[in-house]
Amino acid sequence: MRKSDFHPSEIPAKPGVYVYRDWSGKVIYVGKAANLRRRMSSYFQPSRVMRADAKLRSLINSIEDWSYETVRTENEALILESRLIKDYAPYYNILMRDDKRYLLLKLDWTEKFPTLKLARLKKNDGAQYFGPFPNGGALRMTLEFLLAYFGLRACRDSEPDAETRKRCLKRIVNDCCAPCIGAVTPEEYRQRVKRAVAVLEGNIGEVTAAVKKQMAEAAAEERYEKAAHLRDVMSNLEEVFGRRNRIFVRPELPGSSPGREAVASLGKALGLAAPPSRIIGFDISNILGKLAVASLVAFRDGRPDRDNYRRFRIRTVHQSDDFAMMHEVLVRHFGRLLEEKRPLPDLVMVDGGKGQLSAAIDALVEINCPPLPVIGLAKRNEEIYLPGRSEPVVLDRHDPALRMLQALRDEAHRFAITYHRELRNKLIEQSKLDEIPGIGANRKRELLRTFGSLRALKKAAPETIAEKVPGIGAELAGKIAEVLNRQSRPDNERAQHESIE
């Protein structure tokens, strides 16, 4: 909806997430609210612009249209907001420092005595993760209780040494079952961990019953502070684990894909013989031609069809030429479809105007592809370009067909950017290790697997490196530490990225 069409009475007074776009349809801000009507109304009050600081004033003046999605609880709004921010990286969320990460719980079953730990990042390290959990304070308090209730290890070392065991207060106060000294067998300890995992998965009946009993006993003994603490523990258990929140694994933008209505409207606007049920969209991502990639995103009946998403590394174009890259990707993709005699889509959309559209048409003609509808969506005025027509089709911004094309374009852009960032981070992560004589592909892989990142490897002492990684002797470990800790780094951007896990 356009900003001029905003009417507070039409917005539900419920928890939810709202999305603001600029004149080009690009998402510029994602926000959450316990009360959507009250929160969204605050942005459209003239007095708010006058009192706002420069950043907020810029955001308000940039809003062209909006959409929202209601959820059941404020926690669900927090989680959905977080996921959308990470997927779409809206400019004003980053500028206004709203791109927060919520806490996770991590469980590494490869440890001799695994335990629950807090984490901010979900890594591809084989560990089991739970969350995210928006209420960090409740999660920390609940984790402390669960570790003590099940007697799980709370120390940092997965295999505590004699000095750590000697100073372990948890063992002294019986908050740890002390598996490191053989008080329980490894199998018995893992059974305790599995019971704790059951709580994380929502089976809190056993624990809450025990807490209620302890709370009643404390109250009977007039230990009211202890009873109040246990009351808070039970409340947190129910809040954090008792009500299973919806999981937004790959959330769509609110109001971005209206479904069959949009498909029918688009078919009519383009003059197609039938509504385009299967639509695919392409986007290119590169930095001056480096690590160039492309994405293919598919929609079926106006909704994302993720099983048919594809991504490509650009092979033949080595300079910044989006038209040539688009040509290569369409030749490869449709060439394969024709070779394997697979069905063609009902409509193809490329991100861009006349230039990208011409590149796409030339590619299809080159491989003798049967005629099929191809359009280009230009970002500046959301104009739809068609082959053989000098003037673009311009749809009303309220038209569900345009909303669907915007959603397809944004999803293709997100998918391409994600792949490009993934390749760039891999290149950055490996570059420093490539400078070290004696570190080949296998040793590099083992070092990164053992320590998780260059950042963690850089902090490790040479003795630790030699001890933890088979085949790395003291001399080579010392060389690794020396190279990674050099102060002179000519590439500041690379140094910055190497610190990211």
Side-chain angles (χ1 to χ4, degrees):
M1 300 289 288
R2 292 182 64 105
K3 181 165 65 175
S4 57
D5 296 328
F6 181 84
H7 300 291
S9 60
E10 298 176 358
I11 309 299
K14 297 180 178 179
V17 170
Y18 55 94
V19 173
Y20 291 146
R21 297 176 184 264
D22 63 11
W23 60 269
S24 68
K26 183 179 180 181
V27 176
I28 57 174
Y29 189 74
V30 176
K32 65 183 180 304
N35 184 315
L36 282 169
R37 179 185 300 166
R38 183 163 54 241
R39 177 66 59 81
M40 294 181 67
S41 297
S42 68
Y43 288 91
F44 301 104
Q45 296 170 352
S47 58
R48 181 76 183 274
V49 180
M50 298 175 61
R51 297 194 305 267
D53 59 29
K55 292 177 184 177
L56 181 55
R57 191 181 310 119
S58 176
L59 165 62
I60 294 172
N61 290 332
S62 299
I63 298 171
E64 179 63 25
D65 59 13
W66 51 268
S67 56
Y68 66 85
E69 180 171 314
T70 60
V71 294
R72 293 178 299 183
T73 67
E74 191 172 357
N75 276 357
E76 286 188 4
L78 285 164
I79 294 171
L80 179 56
E81 177 210 33
S82 177
R83 296 294 176 86
L84 287 173
I85 288 173
K86 288 173 180 56
D87 276 351
Y88 294 93
Y91 173 74
Y92 284 98
N93 287 95
I94 297 171
L95 182 67
M96 301 166 81
R97 300 183 180 275
D98 280 349
D99 187 15
K100 59 181 77 64
R101 293 185 184 274
Y102 297 113
L103 284 171
L104 305 159
L105 286 179
K106 176 180 178 180
L107 181 60
D108 187 354
W109 288 101
T110 64
E111 294 179 343
K112 185 174 181 180
F113 303 116
T115 192
L116 297 171
K117 303 174 184 176
L118 293 172
R120 287 280 182 188
L121 296 172
K122 186 175 183 179
K123 302 177 183 178
N124 188 21
D125 55 4
Q128 187 176 5
Y129 288 87
F130 303 88
F133 300 100
N135 192 331
L139 179 64
R140 286 187 172 91
M141 184 178 184
T142 306
L143 175 60
E144 182 180 357
F145 169 79
L146 290 177
L147 292 177
Y149 181 83
F150 290 106
L152 303 185
R153 177 175 62 80
C155 48
R156 292 186 177 181
D157 296 327
S158 59
E159 297 185 42
D161 56 21
E163 186 64 23
T164 302
R165 293 196 296 268
K166 177 179 161 184
R167 300 176 181 275
C168 180
L169 294 177
K170 296 288 185 181
R171 176 179 60 84
I172 295 172
V173 299
N174 294 323
D175 278 351
C176 178
C177 65
C180 56
I181 61 172
V184 297
T185 66
E187 293 74 19
E188 291 170 338
Y189 181 81
R190 285 179 175 262
Q191 286 302 318
R192 291 171 178 258
V193 177
K194 289 178 181 179
R195 288 170 60 203
V197 168
V199 174
L200 306 189
E201 293 174 343
N203 301 315
I204 65 172
E206 172 197 343
V207 180
T208 53
V211 174
K212 287 179 181 177
K213 182 180 178 182
Q214 294 176 26
M215 186 168 60
E217 292 172 352
E221 296 170 3
E222 298 185 355
R223 298 166 58 200
Y224 298 117
E225 186 175 342
K226 176 69 173 176
H229 173 74
L230 290 168
R231 178 202 60 205
D232 293 341
V233 166
M234 188 167 64
S235 175
N236 289 337
L237 277 166
E238 292 174 344
E239 177 184 352
V240 177
F241 303 119
R243 294 188 297 273
R244 300 295 299 277
N245 289 324
R246 276 190 290 169
I247 303 301
F248 304 96
V249 178
R250 286 179 175 175
E252 300 169 30
L253 289 179
S256 61
S257 180
R260 294 182 182 275
E261 178 190 359
V263 172
S265 176
L266 181 61
K268 186 179 298 184
L270 300 181
L272 302 179
S277 173
R278 296 175 59 249
I279 308 175
I280 62 172
F282 292 88
D283 190 28
I284 303 292
S285 179
N286 69 98
I287 300 177
L288 299 178
K290 302 297 183 183
L291 294 177
V293 301
S295 67
L296 181 162
V297 164
F299 271 28
R300 182 180 291 274
D301 294 329
R303 300 286 180 184
D305 179 17
R306 295 188 175 91
D307 290 340
N308 288 303
Y309 281 20
R310 299 289 184 270
R311 56 189 193 179
F312 308 83
R313 286 290 301 270
I314 302 300
R315 298 172 181 169
T316 62
V317 184
H318 305 293
Q319 67 278 357
S320 184
D321 187 341
D322 284 3
F323 300 157
M325 293 177 187
M326 186 67 73
H327 181 277
E328 176 192 325
V329 170
L330 267 75
V331 166
R332 286 168 54 188
H333 178 68
F334 282 95
R336 184 171 182 176
L337 291 184
L338 295 175
E339 180 182 349
E340 297 176 356
K341 295 182 171 53
R342 291 161 58 188
L344 300 176
D346 299 324
L347 177 67
V348 178
M349 188 197 79
V350 295
D351 180 20
K354 292 181 179 180
Q356 283 83 355
L357 179 60
S358 296
I361 296 296
D362 290 346
L364 297 176
V365 170
E366 180 181 314
I367 60 174
N368 296 316
C369 181
L372 74 162
V374 184
I375 61 173
L377 181 64
K379 292 179 182 177
R380 183 170 184 83
N381 294 311
E382 305 291 28
E383 300 162 326
I384 302 172
Y385 286 91
L386 286 78
R389 292 181 55 170
S390 58
E391 296 298 320
V393 173
V394 180
L395 300 179
D396 188 277
R397 288 186 180 273
H398 297 177
D399 195 314
L402 179 59
R403 291 292 187 203
M404 179 181 63
L405 292 180
Q406 289 172 331
L408 180 67
R409 189 259 320 280
D410 289 348
E411 181 70 345
H413 182 66
R414 180 196 67 80
F415 198 48
I417 286 289
T418 300
Y419 185 34
H420 185 267
R421 185 183 299 122
E422 177 184 320
L423 294 177
R424 188 174 70 242
N425 287 345
K426 284 183 179 178
L427 182 66
I428 290 166
E429 189 175 57
Q430 295 173 359
S431 60
K432 292 296 289 183
L433 291 176
D434 289 333
E435 300 174 12
I436 306 172
I439 298 295
N442 291 336
R443 282 180 171 172
K444 180 166 55 179
R445 191 181 306 112
E446 187 64 23
L447 284 164
L448 292 173
R449 187 194 68 79
T450 302
F451 290 94
S453 68
L454 280 186
R455 183 179 183 181
L457 179 58
K458 179 183 173 184
K459 293 179 179 179
E463 305 81 47
T464 305
I465 298 173
E467 178 185 347
K468 289 191 172 185
V469 184
I472 302 290
E475 182 178 350
L476 183 53
K479 188 65 176 176
I480 293 171
E482 177 188 345
V483 171
L484 295 183
N485 286 279
R486 285 175 184 164
Q487 295 300 314
S488 56
R489 294 193 176 189
D491 190 341
N492 290 332
E493 181 180 1
R494 184 177 71 184
Q496 177 185 1
H497 281 294
E498 285 176 352
S499 68
I500 300 174
E501 295 188 36

